[in-house]
Each structure stands twice: as C-alpha cells, then as structure tokens.
C-alpha cells in the first residue's frame, strides 16, 4: 500500500484530493499547507472552489484498504476533531466510522463522548448502553452511562453506573470523581477516608433507592485518599472527559487529547490502562479482519477505466470537482461545453488555465499493477497518432476558404471539431492540415492547400487564434470523417517542368506579368494598402508551386473564390501566368 501514502503526513491517503499540479494529498493535510510538498507549487483553489475529494481514488482506497486501516484512520481523525472542539464535524466522522465497524467499541466510546460535548445526553446514553451490550465487562461503558445520566440530572442512576464501573476497575479515577460529585450535590460532605466515605454512602442510602451493598465492594478494595494518589493521578491523565467539566467546555478535553497523542507517539503500546476490555475487544476484532490484500488481487481493469471512452485511462487528469478522465476525452468534452461530463459542475476557470497535469498517483498505480496493459494502451495511442501523422492518406481538412502556397492565413477556431483538429495537429508534431473551400454536394472542393501552424493562442473559453502559412497544393483523392471533422487522402500538385525554348518563353511571360504588377502598384487603388509586391524569383521553377508572388497576387485581388480555386488547381505555370496577365490588364484599364 506504499503507493497510497500521502506525501505530507506519510500515512495512508484519507479523503484524497488531487491538486492542480497533479499531486494528491489527504484533504486534512492540505488545510494547513500553502505549497505542494512535491513540486513546491503554491496551492490555490481552482475556480474559487473548495477542496473536492478525488472520487476515483476514494473508491480505489475503499476497495484496497483493509478494515483495520480504515477504522484506525477514522479514529485518529475523530480524536483530532475532538481535540479542537469541532464536534459537529466529529459526530459525522463518528457516525461514518460506526457504520463501517458497528462493533468497534473505541469508536462508539468516542461517539458517546462527542454526543456529550454537543449536549445530546440521550444520544450519549444510548451509545453507552450499546457499548455495555457489546462488552458487559468494560468499565468504560458504565462510566459513559454514568456521566450521561449525571448531566441528565439522574444522579441516583448515575451513581449506580459509577458503582458498576468501580466494581470492574477499582482504580477508575474519574468514576471516583463522579461519585464524589454526586455526594457533594446531595449535600454530603466529602469524606477524608474510606471509612468516612462508607458512612456517607449509608447515610445517602437512607434518602435514596441506590443499592449501596454492591457499591461498597469496590470501595473496600481502594482507598480514594490513600498514598497511592500519584498513581491515580497518572491514570487520570489518560481520560478525555471529566464528569466535573460541563459539555460546553472542551478545554480539558483538548489538553487530555494532546497528552494522549504525545504518549502514543512516545510509546507504541496502548497507554489507556483503564480500558483493558475495549482494547482487548479491538485486538480481537482486528484479528478477525481479513489480511491486507494485494492490489493485484482486488483491482481490475474496470476500476481504472475512463467513463467517456470506456478504455483504460491514458494520461488521466482530475477536474476540480474530483472526477477523473483521459486528458483527450476531457478536452473533447469541454470543446462542446465547459462542464464536467459527470456532475455538470462549471469548469470555465479550469478551461481558462489550459493546463491539465496528469494525476501522478493514478498513473503510478496503473504502471505498478497493469504494466502490460499500460504498454498496450500506449501502443494503441501511438498507432492512432501515427495514422493521424500521415499527411498523404489521412490529412485533416479544415473547410473554410481558399489558401495559397507561401501566403499567411490567420484563423479563428471556435467549432468543437476544429478545436480537436488543432490539438491533434500539435500532438502529432506535423502542425499541418489541409484547407479547402466548401463545395455543395462534396462537402469540400477537389483541390486545396496545406497550412502549417506557426503560432496558436488558446483563449480562456477554449477558442483559439491560429497563425498559419500556406505550403503545398493538393488534389483530393478520397474523402472521409474522423471524430466529426473531415479528412482526405490526397496527392500533392507539382508544376510541369519546362526546358529549352519553352522555358525561355515562359520566363519572358513571367517578367512581363511581373512588370504589369509593378505598374498596378503605381496606379491602382486596390494596391495602396501594400508598400511593394513580393520580390521576383530568379528561378521560376525553384518551387514545385511556381513563383511565390503569383499566389500572393491571387490572395489580395478581389476575385471569386471559385475562380481562385481554378487557378490553384493548375499545374502549368504558363497557363497560370496567362490568367494573371488577363486580370492585371483589366485592372490597368480601370485605374481609378
């Protein structure tokens, strides 16, 4: 169970909370920490939310931890809550523990104590009666009944219970104190010796129905004012409640609790000598619990399965609301709506941060228990990535406008399908996708241009601003769909190679058209936004797509997209230059 150890308290995780950095701690440990103990990142509640437990890890812990470990942790938390007088919270923890281990007497004793501090005397008495039924020979049970009855002003009944407590343990100091208080309240002077004490009891019996015969037996075995007072006082330090303290006053409870905790740290043996029966009973129940199971024996693949993709977690991340998903699955869900897929809690702030660190403990757990399955899951993911990285047979297609080689094409991405596409382009490392014009009946045109992502900025609401530049032209061979967006099998277009006189002829045509472009810059208003045209290349066949300035000219001219697509599809530089020459001639004829 070492893998479930909290990095802060070094105990088994209890109410595990996963932080924004991906590390997991006990919820209680985080209440007094301001930095992660592992990465030193400053702790802050994401989205202004309170700390939420990791539901998956809580489920795994409940399945893996043995009953003894659970009860021990609940008992420790309960004692800590009592020591700081958080009784409302303590009663919730106590009820949880008793529901888990109904016959665990120390937990019931603590619950009776909490009820007493909350002035719920009848509940405290009811709990004490249950303890008496579970352990008739436990003096603590009768003391708890007595103290509850004493606060309910049932002094005679309380005296009976203190008597039974002392019958089982004559050195139960607080029972002696309770008896003294009852005698004092009944206007009896406090005895200075055992004989005087017996006289007071007989005197009181004349005015009450208390069975004094049984009361005298334990008193004869112990002189409450004897020289062994030091031993009695030492025992008294182990008590967490005094009958002389009102339930609303938790000061002595907290002090005694701290003393007991310090003694437990110094001495691993149980310090409470006045509760041998409850301790023995606990040891008996502890032996009855099954041995600590091996993680491999209690966990299966279904325990580490994403509820979205129904596969083993890959790169698990935990939301601020405590639910765990594969990172890609969660991102895809938030592409549509910024809410948790399970509890529907708003995750806008979580989305705004844009960082989803892996839940480290869950990743380590899967690597430890299911190494081969993890390797298979990773291989499946790598295979999927390899398929999406093929920029010939599996090209993602963004259906929007006409793009051109070498020309920037800024995009505002907001549709969920294209958000997914952008992330995958970055994840595969290609940073490339195809841009095609919409065409009725075909979903997108037969020709397009590859775009390469230069920069991508994620906005707080999940949208993104993408800076791209055109690369290669292509022709679509086959269409398809992948997770909502289009994909295609393509072949790249290459201009026909020219040689000899044909090359010289096209070179002259090229120079002529470029001269027309320069003249348009000087006389036509359509080009006033630009300082100068792109430079003219020396080698018109250096690029498989021809001179860059031709594509720049097509992108800035107010032309019909269908006509632009026609020129984009041409593989003849000569034919493309003739079209540009015609367009520029029209512009020169209309110089105004």
């Amino acid at each position: 169970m070492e893998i479930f150890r909290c990095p802060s308290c070094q105990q088994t995780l209890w109410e595990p909370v996963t932080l924004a950095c991906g590390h997991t701690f006990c919820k209680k440990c985080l209440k007094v920490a301001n930095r992660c103990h592992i990465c030193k990142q400053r702790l802050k509640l994401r989205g202004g939310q309170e700390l939420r437990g990791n539901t998956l890890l809580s489920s795994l812990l409940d399945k893996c931890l043995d009953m003894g470990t659970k009860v021990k942790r609940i008992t420790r938390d309960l004692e800590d809550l009592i020591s700081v007088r958080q009784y409302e919270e303590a009663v919730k923890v106590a009820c949880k523990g008793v529901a888990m281990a109904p016959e665990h007497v120390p937990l019931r004793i603590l619950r009776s104590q909490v009820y007493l501090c909350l002035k719920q005397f009848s509940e405290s008495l009811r709990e004490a009666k249950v303890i008496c039924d579970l352990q008739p020979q436990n003096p603590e049970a009768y003391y708890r009944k007595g103290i509850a009855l004493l606060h309910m002003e049932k002094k005679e009944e309380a005296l009976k219970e203190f008597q039974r407590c002392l019958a089982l343990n004559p050195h139960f100091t607080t029972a002696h104190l309770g008896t003294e208080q009852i005698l004092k309240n009944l206007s009896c002077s406090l005895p200075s010796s055992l004989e005087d004490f017996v006289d007071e009891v007989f005197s009181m019996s004349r005015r009450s129905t208390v069975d004094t015969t049984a009361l005298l037996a334990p008193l004869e075995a112990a002189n409450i004012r004897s020289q062994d007072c030091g031993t009695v006082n030492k025992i008294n330090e182990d008590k967490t409640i005094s009958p002389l303290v009102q339930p609303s006053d938790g000061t002595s409870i907290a002090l005694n609790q701290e003393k007991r905790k310090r003694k437990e740290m110094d001495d691993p043996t149980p310090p409470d000598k006045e509760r041998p029966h409850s301790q023995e009973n606990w040891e008996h129940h502890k032996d009855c619990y099954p041995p600590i199971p091996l993680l491999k024996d209690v966990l299966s693949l279904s325990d580490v399965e994403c509820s979205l993709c129904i596969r083993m977690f890959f790169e698990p991340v935990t939301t601020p609301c405590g639910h765990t998903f594969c990172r890609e699955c969660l991102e895809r869900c938030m592409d549509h709506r910024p809410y948790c897929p399970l509890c529907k809690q708003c995750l806008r702030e979580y989305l705004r941060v844009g960082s989803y660190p892996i839940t480290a403990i869950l990743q380590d757990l899967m690597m430890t228990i299911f190494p081969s399955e993890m390797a298979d899951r990773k291989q499946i993911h790598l295979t999927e990535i390899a398929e999406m990285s093929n920029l010939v047979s599996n090209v993602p297609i963004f259906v929007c406008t006409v793009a051109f080689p070498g020309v920037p094409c800024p995009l505002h991405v907001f549709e969920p399908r294209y958000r997914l596409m952008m992330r995958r382009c970055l994840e595969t490392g290609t940073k490339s996708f195809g841009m095609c014009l919409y065409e009725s009946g075909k979903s997108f045109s037969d020709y397009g241009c590859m775009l390469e992502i230069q920069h991508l900025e994620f906005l707080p609401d999940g949208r993104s601003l993408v800076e791209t530049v055109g690369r290669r032209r292509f022709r679509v061979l086959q269409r398809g769909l992948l997770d909502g967006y289009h994909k295609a099998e393509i072949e790249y277009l290459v201009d026909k190679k020219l040689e000899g006189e044909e090359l010289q002829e096209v070179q002259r045509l090229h120079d002529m058209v470029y001269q027309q472009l320069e003249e348009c810059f000087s006389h036509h208003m359509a080009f006033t936004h630009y300082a100068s045209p792109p430079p003219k290349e020396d080698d018109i066949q250096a690029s498989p797509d021809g001179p860059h300035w031709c594509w720049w000219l097509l992108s800035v001219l107010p032309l019909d997209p269908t006509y632009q697509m026609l020129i984009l599809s041409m593989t003849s530089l000569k034919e493309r230059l003739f079209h540009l020459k015609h367009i520029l001639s029209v512009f020169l004829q209309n110089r105004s």
Side-chain angles (χ1 to χ4, degrees):
M1 296 296 178
E2 187 71 22
I3 197 167
F4 286 124
R5 191 173 297 278
C6 173
S8 179
C9 65
Q10 296 301 312
Q11 301 290 326
T12 302
L13 281 169
W14 195 252
E15 295 185 325
V17 174
T18 301
L19 301 176
C21 58
H23 299 122
T24 304
F25 300 85
C26 302
K27 184 176 183 178
K28 181 179 176 182
C29 296
L30 293 176
K31 292 181 178 180
V32 294
N34 59 2
R35 289 186 182 275
C36 173
H37 285 260
I38 299 176
C39 64
K40 306 304 178 185
Q41 179 177 323
R42 182 173 292 278
L43 304 185
K44 50 185 177 181
L45 298 183
R46 293 176 292 194
Q49 299 292 328
E50 63 177 4
L51 293 171
R52 298 286 188 89
N54 187 315
T55 56
L56 176 66
L57 287 177
S58 296
S59 175
L60 295 180
L61 282 166
D62 187 60
K63 200 170 186 179
C64 295
L65 296 182
D66 63 290
M67 183 60 70
T69 302
K70 296 176 186 176
V71 170
K72 180 180 179 182
R73 188 58 188 264
I74 287 179
T75 303
R76 193 190 84 173
D77 289 351
L78 183 54
E79 290 174 344
D80 290 343
L81 288 171
I82 293 174
S83 70
V84 294
R85 298 194 292 178
Q86 294 183 11
Y87 302 127
E88 294 291 346
E89 186 65 26
V91 76
K92 296 177 184 177
V93 175
C95 291
K96 177 182 177 181
V98 170
M100 185 182 299
E103 297 185 2
H104 188 263
V105 171
L107 271 178
R108 286 191 174 273
I109 290 175
L110 288 173
R111 185 160 76 163
S112 177
Q113 176 181 342
V114 173
Y115 282 139
L116 191 69
C117 294
L118 289 172
K119 297 185 179 181
Q120 297 178 16
F121 305 129
S122 59
E123 293 297 321
S124 179
L125 177 61
R126 181 182 58 80
E127 197 67 43
K129 289 179 180 179
V130 174
I131 300 170
C132 290
D133 293 337
L134 291 173
Q135 292 184 4
Q137 300 301 314
N138 186 353
E140 178 84 8
Y142 299 104
Y143 169 72
R144 289 294 165 190
K145 285 183 69 176
I147 197 66
L149 290 166
L150 180 61
H151 285 292
M152 295 171 72
E153 300 299 331
K154 297 181 179 181
K155 298 176 183 177
E156 295 178 358
E157 295 181 38
L159 190 58
K160 286 183 180 181
E161 300 305 328
F162 290 145
Q163 159 227 321
R164 290 169 182 165
C165 173
L166 291 169
L168 293 170
N169 183 358
H171 299 287
F172 205 109
T173 312
T174 46
H176 281 295
L177 295 175
T179 304
E180 287 183 3
Q181 182 177 358
I182 293 174
L183 294 175
K184 182 178 179 180
N185 291 340
L186 291 174
S187 301
C188 299
S189 60
L190 293 179
S192 59
S193 65
L194 179 60
E195 290 76 11
D196 294 338
F197 187 78
V198 173
D199 291 340
E200 287 293 340
V201 172
F202 274 116
S203 175
M204 182 191 67
S205 66
R206 298 189 186 98
R207 306 189 300 271
S208 68
T209 59
V210 178
D211 183 6
T212 57
T213 304
L215 179 62
L216 292 176
L219 296 179
E220 292 174 354
N223 187 344
I224 60 174
R225 298 299 181 189
S226 67
Q227 295 180 354
D228 195 25
C229 186
T231 304
V232 173
N233 289 337
K234 181 179 179 182
I235 296 174
N236 189 44
E237 290 181 355
D238 291 335
K239 286 299 162 187
T240 58
I241 259 190
S242 169
L244 302 176
V245 179
Q246 295 298 321
S248 59
D249 183 6
T251 305
S252 82
I253 297 173
L255 292 174
N256 287 324
Q257 190 70 33
E258 289 300 315
K259 291 178 182 178
R260 183 167 63 187
K261 288 171 65 178
R262 287 196 295 270
K263 291 181 68 177
E264 288 175 353
M265 293 176 63
D266 297 335
D267 183 6
T269 60
D272 194 351
K273 298 180 181 179
E274 293 183 358
R275 298 187 222 170
H277 295 279
S278 64
Q279 187 63 34
E280 290 171 6
N281 184 74
W282 163 232
E283 293 294 336
H284 167 72
H285 285 294
K286 189 168 67 172
D287 294 339
C288 295
Y289 292 141
I292 297 176
L294 295 175
L295 294 179
K296 292 182 179 179
D297 297 334
V298 295
L299 295 183
S300 64
L301 282 174
S302 61
D303 294 312
V304 288
E305 192 175 78
C306 175
S307 58
L308 297 178
C309 65
I310 320 300
R311 296 193 293 182
M312 187 179 188
F313 283 114
F314 184 77
E315 297 183 343
V317 297
T318 302
T319 62
C321 56
H323 296 115
T324 305
F325 310 93
C326 300
R327 177 157 55 189
E328 182 179 356
C329 294
L330 179 61
E331 288 176 331
R332 290 184 62 181
C333 282
M334 291 200 296
D335 285 340
H336 295 269
R337 296 188 68 193
Y339 297 97
C340 173
L342 292 181
C343 68
K344 307 306 178 186
Q345 178 178 317
C346 182
L347 299 177
R348 291 186 187 278
E349 191 67 19
Y350 184 62
L351 178 63
R352 185 189 66 79
V353 175
S355 175
Y356 315 115
I358 294 174
T359 303
I361 185 174
L362 184 56
Q363 185 80 354
D364 294 342
L365 179 67
M366 294 189 296
M367 288 295 294
T368 301
I369 306 177
F370 307 111
S372 59
E373 291 84 351
M374 275 289 288
D376 293 341
R377 181 71 176 89
K378 184 176 181 180
Q379 187 58 47
I380 291 172
H381 178 74
L382 293 176
T383 301
E384 293 172 349
I385 292 296
E387 291 176 359
M388 290 186 287
S389 301
N390 191 326
L391 294 183
V392 174
S393 62
N394 203 0
V395 177
I397 301 296
F398 196 115
V399 182
C400 184
T401 185
V402 184
F404 303 97
V407 178
C409 182
L411 298 172
H412 172 210
V413 178
F414 56 89
E415 289 188 58
R417 55 177 176 170
Y418 292 136
R419 292 185 190 183
L420 174 61
M421 179 195 290
M422 293 301 109
R423 285 198 305 273
R424 286 181 171 173
C425 288
L426 295 178
E427 186 177 3
T428 58
T430 62
K431 295 186 177 182
S432 300
F433 59 93
M435 174 64 76
C436 289
L437 186 67
Y438 171 77
E439 187 172 321
S440 179
K442 295 182 180 180
S443 299
F444 53 93
S445 59
D446 292 329
Y447 293 89
C449 180
M450 294 297 296
L451 292 179
E452 181 181 321
I453 298 174
Q454 302 291 303
H455 178 71
L456 189 148
E457 178 186 356
F458 287 103
L459 300 179
D461 58 359
R463 295 176 297 127
S464 56
L465 302 178
V466 189
E467 297 176 10
T468 69
V469 64
R471 293 307 182 201
R472 299 286 304 280
R473 296 172 297 153
F474 62 82
R475 181 168 73 92
V476 175
L477 300 179
Q478 188 174 350
R479 292 170 171 79
L481 281 173
L482 177 63
D483 296 327
Y485 61 82
H486 296 281
K487 67 173 186 175
E489 181 181 350
I490 66 170
E491 66 173 1
Y492 291 101
L493 300 181
V494 179
D495 280 352
K496 298 174 182 177
K497 284 292 182 179
L498 304 173
E499 295 180 353
E501 292 184 1
E502 186 179 13
L503 175 58
Q504 294 177 4
E505 180 185 350
V506 173
Q507 182 70 52
R508 287 193 295 270
L509 177 61
H510 169 269
D511 295 341
M512 181 190 307
V513 177
Y514 190 81
Q515 186 176 357
Q516 281 184 302
L517 174 60
E518 291 179 323
E519 187 176 351
C520 283
F521 257 86
S522 303
H523 301 92
H524 202 283
M525 294 180 60
F527 300 96
T528 55
H529 298 291
Y530 307 96
S532 62
K536 182 174 63 173
E537 290 96 333
D538 295 332
D539 184 359
I540 60 175
Q541 296 190 110
S543 168
D545 297 305
H548 165 64
W549 68 266
C550 296
W551 303 117
W552 176 85
L553 179 60
L554 277 174
S555 68
V556 300
L557 291 176
L559 302 175
D560 183 87
T562 306
Y563 184 59
Q564 290 177 320
M565 185 60 64
L566 173 65
I567 299 177
L568 183 73
S569 65
M570 295 176 179
T571 56
S572 169
L573 176 58
K574 181 178 180 180
E575 187 177 356
R576 191 158 60 245
L577 287 171
F578 272 123
H579 278 274
L580 293 177
K581 179 183 177 183
H582 173 71
I583 295 170
L584 291 174
S585 297
V586 173
F587 271 84
L588 288 173
Q589 290 174 6
N590 301 278
R591 299 189 178 190
S592 58

